[in-house]
Amino acid sequence: MALRIAASCVNCSACEPECPNEAIYPTESAFAIDPAKCTECIGFHDDPQCALVCPVEETCVIDESYPRYQPAA
Amino acid sequence: MELSEREVAEAAIKAGATNVDDIMQKMAEHKGCETTSDGGKKASCGTAAGENDLPPEIWDKVKNHPCYSEEAHHHYARMHVSVAPACNIQCNYCNRKYDCANESRPGVVSERLTPEQAAKKVLAVASTIPQMTVLGIAGPGDPLANPEKTFKTFELISRTAPDIKLCLSTNGLTLPDHVDTIARYNVDHVTITVNMVDPEVGAKIYPWIFYKHKRYTGIEAARILTERQMQGLEMLTERGILSKINSVMIPGINDQHLKEVNKAVKSRGAFLHNIMPLISSAEHGTVFGLTGQRGPTAQELKKLQDSCEGEMNMMRHCRQCRADAVGLLGEDRSAEFTTEKIMEMDVNYDLATRQAYQARVEEERLAVSGAKASELQVLAGVESDIKILVAVATKGSGRINEHFGHATEFQIYELSTAKGAHFIGHRRVDLYCQGGYGEEDALETVIRAIKDCHAVFVAKIGGCPKKDLSAAGIEAVDEFAHEFIEKSAITYFKRYLEGVAAGTITHVDRGDLVAEIRPGEKAVDVVAAAAVPAE
Ligand code: SF4
Ligand code: SF4
Ligand code: SF4
């Protein structure tokens, strides 16, 4: 139920303020997503905002280790 | 031998002058012995360089701005801090790992600061360098894609240092949303990077934009961007905020189109248009770098600038400085002000010393423009179609005061009977002299960079380079050492024309010789500014 940030992150910080769930935070080397907070932007926007604003393709990607987010019915 | 201000300041520190006042005192004394020339004749009102072309209220705003006033940039300094690395568009000449190519040299990473750190840095620098009168927030990234950080920095600085002018540069996408805040913080200069006004052209420069929670690509993206840029520009003009336009000249993509851009921005009230060369190379990892898109030659750039000049003021002295460059344009003192050093500093912002120093600089400036005005008379009555270029080695203050071997760049002046000595730009070169002796290769680099010039004016030059320059058809002139640039150039030009008339000099048009913007493949840019030693 979340996106994750790959090692290709260039630390530009563009994604951080765009997240409607404040799920993105800086770490020493790159930015990271808190999977407990990320809703894949469901309920807010049509597409994941972090992936749209990120300048490096394939950096904000679906985290396969989590089941896809299910919006509350 | 003449010492630079910095050397004097350093010597003063060594001699035990620990507070700023003592240093200023030493610097002021040093300055005093430089101003004994005949240049003190008062320039009559309205003849100082640059003043003619602009409405008085605009001239008032630009005259102390080292980026905008050709004349002021010899005397005043600006600094850029970067607090906002995020961006909301993608440019094909940018790789976000590095600085924003809009304002800075690609391939150099700037230090990233919090607003609090940035504000402290600015105050520390301003307390040490009294000429520092302008603070800009620029790339990497777009300051308005990160408005909270940008405006927080402005707020902190304007509270302690109300005398510092604030400016920012932006790609313009969110500009209309922030114009009122910009006005509230009294930001007096905004730079917008406008590379096109035609979405078809824009689609080749911008692969995508992020706007209102969506990603747009292709022509649609470029259409939104240009509409927002023009709307933002109009809103700034309505509020009396100065706007400068930067354009990156990309041969084959927007080079001819930039004339239309020039008209479009002028009609919306932009006061200055700065056309910069694309600097691109594969190791920057940008799209243009990887596709082998070349940048323009110095001649192509000048030709385009010339063809726009009739339309509005062109800025020729922009050297695409690094966004965090500190000091007089081109003189980078960043190493003295790293975040670590600054956080340890005790900053005491001394407005009075700064004002006293700036008053001193004003006198020096009057002297320079006085010299220029009086010397223009020298050419009165002489008419000729001949135009020549000369290169000048200078450390600032409008004088020929740099040793040929120490010059990291040359200022280029065009001499004609119509305009006198007209500044047209900079050519950056590698340090030719590394520790006292010249190096063959480096000299060749210099020759390549200035080979469209007839002469190079220096404070001093060795016998060997002088001979080599002469073999390349460039006369090395050291007889005007420490004199004012314009005055010397005009004296030289007058003599040249007399020589041609008397048949002792055969005029050769060197304008077709192609001077390079970048020497070799190394990431050292002849026109770009960063006065950091080449990596
Ligand atoms: S997908 Fe949306 S919710 Fe998840 S981290 Fe990205 S911006 Fe935040
Ligand atoms: S936008 Fe992309 S590159 Fe920038 S910090 Fe976020 S994940 Fe990293
Ligand atoms: S606006 Fe600046 S930071 Fe953003 S993509 Fe263009 S050059 Fe890079």
Side-chain angles (χ1 to χ4, degrees):
Chain A
M1 58 174 258
L3 271 77
R4 68 180 171 86
I5 291 176
S8 45
C9 168
V10 294
N11 232 343
C12 76
S13 82
C15 52
E16 189 186 9
E18 300 302 334
C19 176
N21 294 306
E22 298 189 5
I24 305 176
Y25 59 96
T27 71
E28 272 297 292
S29 54
F31 280 74
I33 292 173
D34 179 349
K37 289 188 182 166
C38 172
T39 65
E40 301 172 17
C41 283
I42 290 168
F44 297 93
H45 304 292
D46 295 345
D47 299 294
Q49 298 294 295
C50 52
L52 293 189
V53 77
C54 180
V56 191
E57 301 307 314
E58 299 299 317
T59 298
C60 298
V61 289
I62 295 284
D63 189 340
E64 304 289 353
S65 57
Y66 287 85
R68 296 302 299 270
Y69 180 77
Q70 296 298 328
Chain B
M1 209 206 93
E2 190 195 77
L3 294 172
S4 72
E5 274 158 41
R6 177 178 179 176
E7 282 159 342
V8 172
E10 278 161 5
I13 292 166
K14 277 202 200 102
T18 40
N19 72 34
V20 176
D21 286 351
D22 289 0
I23 298 171
M24 287 319 138
Q25 182 60 35
K26 291 268 179 339
M27 287 169 84
E29 283 163 16
H30 168 64
K31 279 251 150 188
C33 62
E34 259 186 72
T35 41
T36 47
S37 92
D38 60 329
K41 280 173 227 147
K42 190 139 171 27
S44 62
C45 248
T47 54
E51 207 164 343
N52 290 336
D53 331 348
L54 295 171
E57 68 280 6
I58 295 189
W59 172 244
D60 205 46
K61 284 190 175 183
V62 296
K63 71 173 185 211
N64 285 353
H65 196 299
C67 303
Y68 297 159
S69 159
E70 250 172 49
E71 190 227 335
H73 95 282
H74 295 299
H75 306 275
Y76 288 107
R78 60 86 186 84
M79 73 183 278
H80 286 177
V81 289
S82 102
V83 289
C87 191
N88 46 17
I89 69 174
Q90 182 64 51
C91 304
N92 277 337
Y93 48 75
C94 176
N95 168 346
R96 226 77 71 60
K97 264 188 206 155
Y98 302 118
D99 282 4
C100 172
N102 281 345
E103 274 285 314
S104 31
R105 188 166 72 128
V108 183
V109 187
S110 295
E111 200 181 13
R112 238 170 251 171
L113 303 170
T114 65
E116 290 73 19
Q117 286 171 326
K120 186 153 185 215
K121 178 168 181 170
V122 171
L123 297 179
V125 171
S127 307
T128 317
I129 306 176
Q131 307 99 307
M132 209 293 277
T133 50
V134 179
L135 167 80
I137 297 196
D142 188 72
L144 296 182
N146 235 317
E148 296 78 17
K149 288 184 188 163
T150 297
F151 291 125
K152 178 78 193 168
T153 309
F154 282 163
E155 187 198 318
L156 291 171
I157 291 165
S158 58
R159 226 187 277 152
T160 323
D163 63 320
I164 293 180
K165 295 181 203 304
L166 304 173
C167 58
L168 66 85
S169 47
T170 173
N171 61 39
L173 182 60
T174 64
L175 180 58
D177 309 335
H178 299 296
V179 170
D180 287 324
T181 319
I182 289 170
R184 197 160 63 241
Y185 282 106
N186 232 339
V187 172
D188 55 3
H189 306 84
V190 174
T191 302
I192 316 171
T193 299
V194 179
N195 294 321
M196 52 88 206
V197 288
D198 173 355
E200 304 253 350
V201 176
K204 296 181 201 148
I205 304 172
Y206 307 102
W208 57 262
I209 66 169
F210 178 75
Y211 178 60
K212 292 201 189 298
H213 305 294
K214 288 199 171 10
R215 190 185 269 215
Y216 296 88
T217 57
I219 291 184
E220 198 185 7
R223 186 183 49 74
I224 296 171
L225 181 61
T226 181
E227 282 172 11
R228 298 283 288 175
Q229 288 174 334
M230 293 306 122
Q231 187 194 349
L233 174 57
E234 285 166 9
M235 291 171 73
L236 289 172
T237 303
E238 276 164 24
R239 286 161 183 77
I241 302 166
L242 288 185
S243 31
K244 176 190 110 189
I245 305 302
N246 271 356
S247 299
V248 180
M249 177 182 180
I250 312 163
I253 292 186
N254 72 352
D255 45 351
Q256 291 313 309
H257 179 63
L258 285 181
K259 290 180 202 163
E260 259 165 72
V261 169
N262 186 267
K263 290 202 185 85
V265 298
K266 188 195 180 195
S267 70
R268 288 173 178 81
F271 85 100
L272 202 88
H273 189 191
N274 171 31
I275 298 181
M276 316 184 290
L278 171 74
I279 293 163
S280 128
S281 122
E283 75 256 18
H284 298 152
T286 61
V287 170
F288 283 153
L290 297 172
T291 57
Q293 170 65 49
R294 73 172 179 93
T297 63
Q299 273 68 19
E300 287 171 329
L301 181 65
K302 178 173 182 294
K303 205 167 150 221
L304 180 62
Q305 289 175 333
D306 284 347
S307 69
C308 293
E309 189 152 51
E311 300 291 330
M312 71 190 293
N313 295 291
M314 295 296 298
M315 183 160 111
R316 308 268 195 168
H317 55 275
C318 173
R319 288 173 283 170
Q320 295 184 348
C321 25
R322 253 172 73 190
D324 64 347
V326 171
L328 291 175
L329 281 176
E331 181 200 344
D332 195 314
R333 295 179 61 175
S334 308
E336 293 168 50
F337 298 102
T338 60
T339 313
E340 242 170 69
K341 287 185 192 160
I342 285 186
M343 289 305 133
E344 284 169 9
M345 274 183 205
D346 232 354
V347 179
N348 174 16
Y349 193 76
D350 185 348
L351 192 60
T353 305
R354 283 174 55 78
Q355 282 167 345
Y357 185 84
Q358 286 161 17
R360 188 74 201 74
V361 171
E362 274 309 299
E363 283 174 33
E364 169 83 348
R365 269 175 68 188
L366 261 184
V368 175
S369 39
K372 184 173 177 173
S374 64
E375 281 311 307
L376 261 178
Q377 311 293 334
V378 171
L379 282 175
V382 190
E383 253 177 68
S384 165
D385 290 338
I386 292 179
K387 281 185 187 172
I388 63 174
L389 299 182
V390 295
V392 179
T394 174
K395 305 197 255 226
S397 303
R399 293 167 191 266
I400 303 165
N401 52 7
E402 182 66 294
H403 188 300
F404 178 74
H406 296 164
T408 52
E409 64 178 27
F410 292 90
Q411 296 190 352
I412 310 294
Y413 284 79
E414 184 174 74
L415 310 181
S416 63
T417 52
K419 284 191 178 175
H422 182 52
F423 179 84
I424 61 158
H426 295 266
R427 305 271 170 81
R428 197 175 147 73
V429 294
D430 277 306
L431 269 187
Y432 157 64
C433 170
Q434 313 268 358
Y437 51 90
E439 277 176 63
E440 246 346 87
D441 287 349
L443 180 56
E444 275 167 33
T445 306
V446 176
I447 291 176
R448 276 208 304 273
I450 62 169
K451 72 178 166 197
D452 51 347
C453 297
H454 276 73
V456 53
F457 291 5
V458 298
K460 211 169 177 217
I461 184 166
C464 283
K466 195 169 184 166
K467 236 189 284 153
D468 290 346
L469 282 166
S470 153
I474 304 166
E475 184 187 356
V477 180
D478 55 7
E479 64 167 288
F480 302 113
H482 307 290
E483 302 275 332
F484 289 116
I485 296 169
E486 272 101 349
K487 183 180 150 185
S488 311
I490 289 172
T491 308
Y492 174 87
F493 186 52
K494 185 163 185 243
R495 216 186 292 155
Y496 184 89
L497 291 179
E498 285 164 359
V500 173
T504 53
I505 296 175
T506 318
H507 174 66
V508 206
D509 191 356
R510 299 178 66 84
D512 292 337
L513 298 172
V514 179
E516 289 186 2
I517 287 204
R518 320 185 50 215
E521 329 62 52
K522 271 193 289 146
V524 179
D525 318 308
V526 176
V527 172
V532 275
E535 300 94 320

